[in-house]
Amino acid sequence: MSSLLTPLTLRRTSFRNRLWVAPMCQYSAVDGIPNDWHHVHLAQFASGGAGLVIAEATAVVPEGRITPEDTGLWTDGQRDAWAPIVAAIRARGAVPGIQLAHAGRKASTWSPFSGRRGSVSAEDGGWTTTAPSAIAFDGFAAPEALDAAGIDAIVDAFAAAAVRAVEAGFEVLEVHAAHGYLLHQFLSPLSNLREDEYGGSLENRARLLLRVVDVVRAAAGDRPVFVRFSATDWADGGWGVEETVAVGSWVAAHGADLLDISSGGLVAHQSITTGPGYQVPLAAEIRRRTGVPVGAVGEITGGQQAEQIVAAGEADAILAAREWLRDPHFGLRAATELGEPTAAPWPPQYERARPRVAG
């Protein structure tokens, strides 16, 4: 069997393959409540052969939403709306996961569907954002710096959201510490100028993330916990691979089971050269130096490409995003490409369309 299609087990959870769906914001919720769009959107990937389907960045508090249309898990009503979506993913053979998030200074922004950019004003339904330091992301409103009580409240919110995620039936909980959102803002010296126990040294800048991992780990029980990192800010003086290796090892010691490696998003002046698999070398180095399982993401668009990454030991799993949007049956297609058409089972309703392999 191919490396990509070999099952993987983390703690109690077994994934039927290593081709997974990365979190993708849909900006389609009302009051943080997922709806029929989210149900169909996520369940189709399970039917399409994914081993894991991770729901979008889901805010732990209302003011942690990227846009007013983001999903949430700060109420029991939101939990109850997620439950049938989770059941639909599981019924189709995939593991359901969710990404728990707080957008920090990048919250309260316009949906990309609105045709507008920048921060949403209070008059239009926006809110004042918070961050480690009162430094605005370019083009956005300035945030307020969090005090100690505010930081404690965010840790409590992650804990409560993690409990609700488990109650809804999610099997994987991912902590979002990437793409310039709140936990990444604390990690990077470009956005964290604090002089207290949450700023300055790497240990201090990582303190909030480690507290969040601790409470999510406690809520998760024997379910896997992932942490998504931006391995580099792609900007001088910012967060980089060395820091990701160090903090990646720390979160593993605190109970994280897999590091989901992406990059960028913290500052507007980042300089990135993209291309097929452009973030895979970051994942490979972090895997090699930490010994912790990693997921790779970024312009991975075919079964053979994904197979080569896993077979070479550069990542333990592939988290694709846009390719699943282009083809919700990417998993079935990849299995056929790799000559393993039975490794990602076709729904019996679709069996008549399954390509036949000669020989």
Side-chain angles (χ1 to χ4, degrees), residues 316-349:
D316 298 273
I318 302 299
L319 289 114
R322 289 180 174 88
E323 192 61 23
W324 284 103
L325 297 182
R326 286 186 282 264
D327 178 5
H329 300 101
F330 181 27
L332 305 183
R333 170 164 59 86
T336 300
E337 284 181 31
L338 296 171
E340 303 265 5
T342 61
W346 279 64
Q349 298 90 337

Side-chain angles (χ1 to χ4, degrees), residues 33-305:
I33 297 175
N35 52 47
D36 285 349
W37 174 265
H38 301 87
H39 192 133
V40 174
H41 166 70
L42 294 168
Q44 68 179 338
F45 301 135
S47 296
L52 166 66
V53 178
I54 305 180
E56 65 192 77
T58 296
V60 299
V61 289
E63 61 272 19
R65 290 171 293 171
I66 303 166
T67 77
E69 294 78 25
D70 283 13
T71 56
L73 259 178
W74 66 83
T75 73
D76 290 349
Q78 294 160 348
R79 174 201 63 197
D80 295 344
W82 278 116
I85 300 172
V86 172
I89 295 169
R90 185 183 295 109
R92 289 159 175 78
V95 173
I98 192 164
Q99 186 182 70
L100 302 177
H102 190 303
R105 69 179 187 173
K106 293 178 75 175
S108 190
T109 60
W110 291 101
S111 158
F113 313 144
S114 69
R116 303 175 68 175
R117 297 178 62 84
S119 298
V120 180
S121 67
E123 292 76 14
D124 288 319
W127 55 90
T128 301
T129 61
T130 56
S133 302
I135 305 170
F137 184 85
D138 287 0
F140 292 0
E144 293 181 351
L146 284 159
D147 60 15
I151 291 173
D152 289 345
I154 286 170
V155 175
D156 291 343
F158 270 97
V163 169
R164 290 192 180 96
V166 169
E167 292 172 345
F170 286 105
E171 289 289 327
V172 169
L173 278 59
E174 178 168 275
V175 175
H176 198 355
H179 299 165
Y181 299 122
L182 183 69
L183 298 178
H184 185 185
Q185 291 163 27
F186 269 86
L187 292 174
S188 177
L190 295 179
S191 49
N192 183 349
L193 302 183
R194 300 177 72 96
E195 297 180 349
D196 63 0
E197 62 183 327
Y198 292 95
S201 69
L202 182 61
E203 292 80 0
N204 283 355
R205 287 182 280 122
R207 190 180 306 276
L208 175 57
L209 173 58
L210 295 178
R211 290 185 64 189
V212 167
V213 170
D214 284 342
V215 298
V216 172
R217 173 76 274 155
D222 54 0
R223 298 162 185 81
V225 171
F226 296 179
V227 178
R228 172 161 268 197
F229 283 104
S230 282
T232 173
D233 288 339
W234 300 108
D236 290 343
W239 180 264
V241 170
E242 293 298 323
E243 292 84 359
T244 307
V245 168
V247 179
S249 297
W250 297 347
V251 298
H254 282 247
D257 301 289
L258 182 139
L259 311 179
D260 178 2
I261 303 301
S262 187
S263 68
L266 184 85
V267 291
H269 63 272
Q270 63 187 11
S271 178
I272 308 176
T273 300
T274 63
Y278 72 101
Q279 295 176 143
V280 172
L282 299 171
E285 183 171 358
I286 290 160
R287 183 180 190 269
R288 178 180 62 82
R289 294 177 60 186
T290 64
V292 180
V294 304
V297 65
E299 296 197 31
I300 300 170
T301 58
Q304 291 288 353
Q305 180 193 18

